[in-house]
Amino acid sequence: MSPHTVSSPKNRPKYYDLNLLNLPTPGLVSIFHRITGVAMFLFLIPLALFILQTTLSSEAGFASWKGYFAHPLVKLIVVGFVWSFMHHLFAGVRYLLLDLHIGIAKVPAQNSARVVLVAGLVATAVFAARIW
Amino acid sequence: MKNTKQPVGAHYGWKDWMIQRVTAAVMLVYSVLILGFFLLHGSVAFADWKQLFQNQLVRILSLLFFFAVFYHAWIGVRDVLMDYIKPFFIRLSLQVAVCLFLIVCSIWTVSILWGN
């Protein structure tokens, strides 16, 4: 092995720019895809199952959840989950298209990332307007 | 560690990559159907909700959806753990915890869909 191929990982500089605002749009879509995915795994899966169970088990259970959902703070949490879901969904569709080699050039990829961010926010806004 | 396989790695790469996309498609179709149900019924009453899940086809499609969610979550969370958690034992413990949690969720889902 020539000395040029020997790398020393310890001496390589590491640079983490943790400021999200410095990310290009596709990077922003990507990190939100991750965060929303983990958040839905941790909170939405058990919560959704719990709600499905209580609302199906009795009329009283259904009514109590209808009551909770009328609370503004709960509405805010629901809107947060709706954004998580919609962003994750739109970003996922973008990845499926990229897998099919649709829009993989730099400019179309940047544009589709912007579309994903805006579409997630618009869908959430439409939902929020409907429940308020 | 030279010729050994990491038991906490994704040594079944392309298959999981494909499953991640197939489960995504399943969830997408189901989500559109459920959204359609809510848009058709302006305000959902208990009777409508109950009746919807009495339907055997709805139960089966819902189970398919939730299994897709759980498998999709497993692959996604495993990838996240592989990226950020480097110590072998912590990663393995977390992966086992995620796995067990999702298995419990699967059983719970069956009991919700067919137990009510």
Side-chain angles (χ1 to χ4, degrees):
Chain A
M1 219 184 267
S2 79
H4 299 288
T5 60
V6 178
S7 61
S8 161
K10 277 181 186 162
N11 295 334
R12 244 181 252 153
K14 277 185 179 172
Y15 174 60
Y16 297 122
D17 184 355
L18 294 175
N19 187 352
L20 290 183
L21 294 175
N22 291 340
L23 273 174
T25 326
L28 211 56
V29 167
S30 174
I31 193 65
F32 284 154
H33 191 70
R34 255 193 180 195
I35 294 169
T36 54
V38 171
M40 287 192 289
F41 162 74
L42 285 175
F43 306 113
L44 191 54
I45 287 179
L47 196 62
L49 286 176
F50 182 68
I51 294 171
L52 192 61
Q53 182 180 37
T54 8
T55 53
L56 283 177
S57 61
S58 70
E59 188 142 23
F62 187 88
S64 68
W65 271 106
K66 212 151 196 178
Y68 301 147
F69 282 134
H71 195 280
L73 197 68
V74 178
K75 282 185 181 178
L76 208 61
I77 295 168
V78 172
V79 166
F81 278 126
V82 166
W83 175 76
S84 293
F85 184 86
M86 293 318 293
H87 177 82
H88 202 88
L89 188 151
F90 287 130
V93 169
R94 176 173 175 269
Y95 289 136
L96 287 176
L97 294 175
L98 291 173
D99 286 341
L100 297 170
H101 288 211
I102 298 168
I104 44 173
K106 190 175 176 183
V107 173
Q110 283 174 330
N111 287 336
S112 64
R114 283 186 201 109
V115 169
V116 165
L117 275 183
V118 173
L121 292 171
V122 168
T124 310
V126 168
F127 176 82
R130 244 185 112 91
I131 63 165
W132 253 294
Chain B
M1 293 298 270
K2 249 182 194 151
N3 292 315
T4 55
K5 264 188 176 175
Q6 270 273 359
V8 290
H11 38 89
Y12 19 77
W14 95 267
K15 200 175 100 189
D16 275 5
W17 179 89
M18 183 52 91
I19 290 171
Q20 197 68 341
R21 277 138 188 89
V22 173
T23 51
V26 169
M27 290 185 285
L28 186 63
V29 171
Y30 183 89
S31 301
V32 171
L33 291 177
I34 282 288
L35 182 69
F37 172 81
F38 277 108
L39 288 179
L40 281 176
H41 296 68
S43 170
V44 179
F46 176 69
D48 308 320
W49 187 239
K50 187 90 184 165
Q51 196 193 3
L52 177 70
F53 283 95
Q54 294 290 345
N55 186 321
Q56 196 69 354
L57 183 65
V58 172
R59 285 175 172 169
I60 291 168
L61 290 179
S62 300
L63 188 67
L64 189 68
F65 167 77
F66 277 107
F67 280 2
V69 168
F70 302 149
Y71 208 149
H72 192 91
W74 158 244
I75 296 170
V77 173
R78 187 208 60 198
D79 285 354
V80 170
L81 291 175
M82 286 197 301
D83 279 349
Y84 303 124
I85 312 291
K86 300 300 176 188
F88 170 83
F89 192 72
I90 301 175
R91 190 199 282 181
L92 181 62
S93 309
L94 288 172
Q95 287 186 351
V96 169
V98 169
C99 227
L100 291 178
F101 171 71
L102 290 172
I103 291 170
V104 168
C105 283
S106 305
I107 299 166
W108 189 15
T109 306
V110 173
S111 88
I112 292 170
L113 289 172
W114 274 274
N116 282 297

